[in-house]
Amino acid sequence: MKILITGGAGFIGSAVVRLLVRDTRHTVVNVDKLTYAASLDSLAEARTDRRHVLERVDICDPAALRRIFREYQPDAVMHLAAETHVDRSIDGPAAFIETNLIGTYTLLETSREYWQRLSARRRSAFRFHHVSTDEVFGDLGPGCQKSHETSPYMPSSPYSASKAGADHLVRAWQRTFGLPTLITYSCNNYGPYQFPEKLIPLTLLNALDGRPLPVYGRGENIRDWLYVEDHARALSQVLTAGRAGETYAIAAGNPRSNIEIVRAICQLLDELAPAKPAGIKRYEELITWVEDRPGHDFRYGMDDRKLREEIGWRPQETLDSGLRKTVAWYLRHREWCQRVSASARYSRERLGVSYSGASG
């Protein structure tokens, strides 16, 4: 197939691109605006492959999208482009509305116009795969063990609300226009090339520099943790084996509180990076409690039996093995971290936002 991937230079998108180029015969048309969170380094193994092409395009630009559809004639769309950081959405929600809602609408309309002109055979085979998040279901209250594909939406942050709105647009284009769509919901991802504002890379990089490890509240908020390459495999399998019009939850079965994750990283660093900053005997000494952020959901968790039974996907990494691989990768790539962190500081200064960057 020829697959158009939006956000293919981002954390999850680049993992999907690497997987498809390495393990399949598909051609990948990578559409990315190349914002602060994109990394061309994450595409190093794909950029020299003739089955991968990178187009620097904003998904809010309909003319540019029409050109790409006309030029490359894709068989499927995997939509991963999104603004994703909750703290940033609190400080500056407008960018999230623009990309996650207007961008998704623009991509849906361009896809629909293109799809309606295809032959009957290609129109039947076409798929629009939208990648969402477990955060659209909101906080799991007492007695609610897990959310599932038909759970009601209760987003809490500007980020999750914008993603929920995008999901509704995708469903509407499927129900009203017949566009063959797929929606997947994922739990928290981690792994190589994750931008250093997120919990796991922020914690380990701050620890290596001897800086405080800020944790919201008492660190009791619970998330499920999925290694990014396992997520990429799930997305690829859903695209090829999922039923049009269906939704699939992707879970790892690794629920942990934020403080458990932070302490696990500190323990790995004690082992893998024993040369600590001056005055530090154990990395856990750097943990610092900070005021909780507004609207902070306590717990997420999803039931992914549908995905496992229909598609046959299983994660290959445990949390222990995935965290060890992740910490080892960041220890080998400190220069990359410094480059992208400098880019983030410039972005925050230019936009005038000042989120705390606290873990969780």
Side-chain angles (χ1 to χ4, degrees):
M1 293 196 301
K2 186 176 290 183
I3 304 170
L4 190 158
I5 297 180
T6 69
F11 169 49
I12 300 173
S14 65
V16 176
V17 171
R18 293 193 302 271
L19 172 77
L20 294 176
V21 170
R22 182 182 66 239
D23 295 345
T24 77
R25 298 177 63 186
H26 302 318
T27 296
V28 176
V29 181
N30 185 350
V31 175
D32 200 294
K33 187 179 177 181
L34 299 182
T35 65
Y36 76 94
S39 171
L40 294 179
D41 291 340
S42 67
L43 298 170
E45 63 186 88
R47 291 189 71 191
T48 57
D49 194 295
R50 60 183 179 82
R51 291 184 296 110
H52 171 260
V53 58
L54 176 63
E55 288 273 1
R56 184 172 188 173
V57 164
D58 185 344
I59 60 169
C60 294
D61 183 343
L65 286 179
R66 291 191 192 100
R67 174 188 65 80
I68 286 171
F69 275 85
R70 185 170 60 249
E71 182 173 342
Y72 295 105
Q73 297 287 305
D75 301 299
V77 172
M78 296 182 74
H79 179 32
L80 294 98
E83 294 283 350
T84 64
H85 192 53
V86 174
D87 284 7
R88 284 179 180 265
S89 80
I90 294 171
D91 283 336
F96 290 73
I97 303 304
E98 180 73 14
T99 297
N100 299 353
L101 283 172
I102 304 302
T104 298
Y105 157 74
T106 305
L107 184 65
L108 280 166
E109 269 296 87
T110 309
S111 298
R112 179 175 72 90
E113 293 169 1
Y114 166 79
W115 168 73
Q116 288 178 329
R117 293 193 297 268
L118 293 175
S119 67
R121 180 186 62 81
R122 292 193 66 203
R123 193 163 58 244
S124 175
F126 184 85
R127 293 292 183 270
F128 183 104
H129 182 176
H130 173 65
V131 179
S132 187
T133 170
D134 59 0
E135 296 192 41
V136 299
F137 300 117
D139 203 355
L140 291 177
C144 181
Q145 295 302 312
K146 293 182 179 181
S147 57
H148 48 80
E149 290 85 355
T150 58
S151 293
Y153 278 29
M154 296 183 66
S156 301
S157 69
Y159 159 61
S160 57
S162 68
K163 289 295 289 185
D167 294 357
H168 291 320
L169 289 174
V170 173
R171 280 195 176 87
W173 261 244
Q174 190 271 326
R175 287 291 301 273
T176 301
F177 303 114
L179 185 69
T181 64
L182 298 157
I183 299 176
T184 51
Y185 308 97
S186 172
C187 58
N188 277 32
N189 278 222
Y190 69 98
Y193 294 108
Q194 187 170 31
F195 195 77
E197 67 189 358
K198 300 289 187 164
L199 170 61
I200 289 175
L202 174 70
T203 297
L204 68 91
L205 294 173
N206 275 10
L208 291 170
D209 290 339
R211 297 198 302 268
L213 308 182
V215 181
Y216 282 131
R218 299 304 298 174
E220 297 172 341
N221 304 73
I222 296 171
R223 303 290 184 263
D224 190 12
W225 293 91
L226 177 65
Y227 192 63
V228 68
E229 293 183 7
D230 281 331
H231 188 194
R233 286 191 305 103
L235 295 179
S236 175
Q237 289 177 237
V238 168
L239 181 69
T240 55
R243 291 179 289 134
E246 291 294 325
T247 59
Y248 298 90
I250 305 171
N254 294 316
R256 297 290 191 281
S257 67
N258 288 337
I259 190 59
E260 287 179 297
I261 293 293
V262 171
R263 286 177 174 149
I265 294 168
C266 289
Q267 290 165 10
L268 282 168
L269 288 174
D270 285 337
E271 174 192 345
L272 301 176
K276 299 176 180 63
I280 300 297
K281 293 182 179 179
R282 295 166 56 247
Y283 286 104
E284 285 190 31
E285 298 171 25
L286 297 168
I287 293 174
T288 304
W289 309 108
V290 300
E291 184 179 354
D292 209 353
R293 73 180 175 215
H296 196 179
D297 290 336
F298 178 72
R299 182 169 66 91
Y300 303 137
M302 293 189 299
D303 183 340
D304 68 346
R305 282 179 293 179
K306 179 179 178 181
L307 174 72
R308 296 185 185 228
E309 292 171 2
E310 288 192 15
I311 307 297
W313 172 87
R314 298 288 187 280
Q316 294 180 355
E317 300 293 341
T318 65
L319 184 59
D320 288 342
S321 67
L323 272 181
R324 180 171 289 273
K325 285 184 176 182
T326 300
V327 171
W329 186 90
Y330 278 92
L331 289 173
R332 295 194 307 269
H333 294 83
R334 296 291 302 279
E335 183 180 339
W336 176 84
C337 298
Q338 291 167 359
R339 285 202 310 274
V340 298
S341 295
S343 171
R345 284 192 295 272
Y346 170 77
S347 174
R348 290 199 299 273
E349 292 166 0
R350 182 173 59 84
L351 295 173
V353 298
S354 56
Y355 68 87
S356 68
S359 302

